Amino acid sequence: MKQFNKYNLGWFLLIAVSGIALFFGVSSGLISTFQQITLMTILINIILAIGLNLVIGFSGQFSLGHAGFMAIGAYSGAVVSKYIDGLAGFFVGVLAGMVIAMLVAMIVGIPTLRLKGDYLAIATLGVAEIIRILIINMPDLTNGARGISGISFPFESNLSFIMVTFAFVVVTTIVIVNYIKSSPGRATISIREDEIAAESMGINTTLYKVIAFMLGAMTASIAGNLYATFFSVINPADFTFQKSIDILIIVVFGGIGSVTGTVVAAVVLGLLNTVLQSAGQLRMVFYAIALIAIMVFRPGGLLGNKEFTISGILDRKKGVEK
């Protein structure tokens, strides 16, 4: 129990220090307004990529539909904000988006998650496109292809919203990590390793694949709502196939099956993208070169399937002392 408390205290201190550094960095002006956009993009991408990594890295299902669930969250938040003002509207929008994304993921997941490999990827890509086309063809609710602008920003400042977003990153990460370490999570990982063997042991593979898919969809919905609230403008063109690929790149870059790697990759790629802004169109060339290099020299991603853990550091320290 002492060891358990010590490890959790280490994580608590790491989160607290990160939050305090973020607060003072923004409040003191050390992080400029332009850099705040980069920061928000990184935080939103972490939520998106961790949810997708649960689906791809831990349940072994290759999904390209993440942008569709992000769109559900973004439009749910935007539409709710028209009818409910203030913070209540924001949190109701988040909840509504999560519920809708969960239901859509369940309805879609039960038939499609029986597919494997390329067939599943194509099916989930089709689902994302269906969601986007439905949004375009519901002009009375979503304003169609023109999108929605002037979305309510119910927070006093960017600082308060950035801290709320950081809290969402922490909570979603804790939920995903605890699910992975739980009994259903271990069953999900067993499906990734060998689905036939898992079925032979009595595991309901469809159930656990759908649960992972639903969790990934809900996290994508949260990220979509945060995106819509911060940027105040959304358009169906923001949630195309390319967006799903961008999230997939983060997962592959960090390491499929590594939550830590996903966080590191989101930060590294976010900063790289910002640094290369001045290069114009050439930045995509440099960006591609960086991705090719990591795939050549680290084909498993930055961390592979390894995790940074407080317990690992402490145990390694004990080994050195001995």
Side-chain angles (χ1 to χ4, degrees):
M1 182 62 70
K2 290 181 179 179
Q3 193 179 45
F4 175 81
N5 291 334
K6 180 168 59 177
Y7 295 157
N8 281 270
L9 178 62
W11 279 116
F12 175 79
L13 290 175
L14 181 62
I15 293 169
V17 169
S18 300
I20 292 170
L22 198 61
F23 178 83
F24 283 105
V26 176
S27 61
S28 65
L30 187 63
I31 299 176
S32 66
T33 303
F34 175 74
Q35 291 170 337
Q36 288 174 24
I37 297 174
T38 301
L39 176 61
M40 277 299 300
T41 302
I42 289 172
L43 293 175
I44 290 170
N45 283 343
I46 289 173
I47 297 174
L48 286 166
I50 286 178
L52 184 60
N53 206 352
L54 173 63
V55 177
I56 295 178
F58 293 96
S59 70
Q61 311 306 306
F62 192 61
S63 171
L64 290 176
H66 228 51
F69 296 113
M70 184 183 179
I72 289 174
Y75 275 90
S76 295
V79 171
V80 169
S81 68
K82 292 181 180 180
Y83 303 99
I84 305 177
D85 294 328
L87 288 174
F90 170 75
F91 286 107
V92 170
V94 171
L95 182 60
M98 289 174 64
V99 171
I100 295 170
M102 179 187 69
L103 292 175
V104 172
M106 182 176 65
I107 293 169
V108 169
I110 292 173
T112 59
L113 291 177
R114 298 178 187 275
L115 302 172
K116 294 181 176 63
D118 298 341
Y119 299 103
L120 177 60
I122 294 170
T124 52
L125 173 60
V127 170
E129 280 301 295
I130 289 170
I131 292 171
R132 194 174 69 85
I133 297 302
L134 285 174
I135 289 171
I136 293 174
N137 287 279
M138 299 172 66
D140 293 337
L141 185 64
T142 64
N143 207 26
R146 291 173 294 177
I148 301 176
S149 59
I151 298 170
S152 173
F153 186 79
F155 296 87
E156 295 179 359
S157 64
N158 280 356
L159 172 61
S160 57
F161 187 60
I162 287 171
M163 297 311 298
V164 167
T165 304
F166 177 75
F168 271 111
V169 171
V170 172
V171 171
T172 52
T173 303
I174 289 173
V175 169
I176 296 297
V177 169
N178 276 277
Y179 174 79
I180 292 168
K181 293 182 178 296
S182 69
S183 178
R186 291 193 294 272
T188 302
I189 294 172
S190 72
I191 296 169
R192 177 196 67 186
E193 296 299 323
D194 192 323
E195 187 169 346
I196 295 174
E199 284 182 341
S200 69
M201 295 299 293
I203 294 174
N204 187 336
T205 56
T206 300
L207 172 64
Y208 290 112
K209 286 192 289 185
V210 171
I211 290 174
F213 195 57
M214 289 165 60
L215 283 172
M218 287 191 289
T219 58
S221 172
I222 292 171
N225 200 310
L226 294 170
Y227 175 90
T229 303
F230 183 76
F231 292 101
S232 299
V233 178
I234 53 174
N235 189 286
D238 297 330
F239 309 106
T240 61
F241 166 70
Q242 184 59 49
K243 186 62 181 179
S244 293
I245 294 298
D246 290 342
I247 305 165
L248 177 63
I249 287 172
I250 295 173
V251 173
V252 174
F253 191 90
I256 296 176
S258 171
V259 174
T260 309
T262 297
V263 175
V264 172
V267 174
V268 170
L269 291 178
L271 294 177
L272 180 63
N273 197 33
T274 302
V275 169
L276 296 175
Q277 286 283 348
S278 59
Q281 292 298 321
L282 283 175
R283 71 187 177 88
M284 296 309 297
V285 176
F286 293 121
Y287 191 73
I289 291 172
L291 291 175
I292 292 170
I294 196 68
M295 290 299 99
V296 170
F297 297 105
R298 294 283 298 178
L302 288 175
L303 295 184
N305 58 0
K306 297 179 181 178
E307 299 285 3
F308 167 81
T309 60
I310 301 296
S311 59
I313 294 174
L314 293 175
D315 291 342
R316 192 176 297 113
K317 183 179 178 182
K318 288 179 181 178
V320 172
E321 290 175 353
K322 289 179 180 179

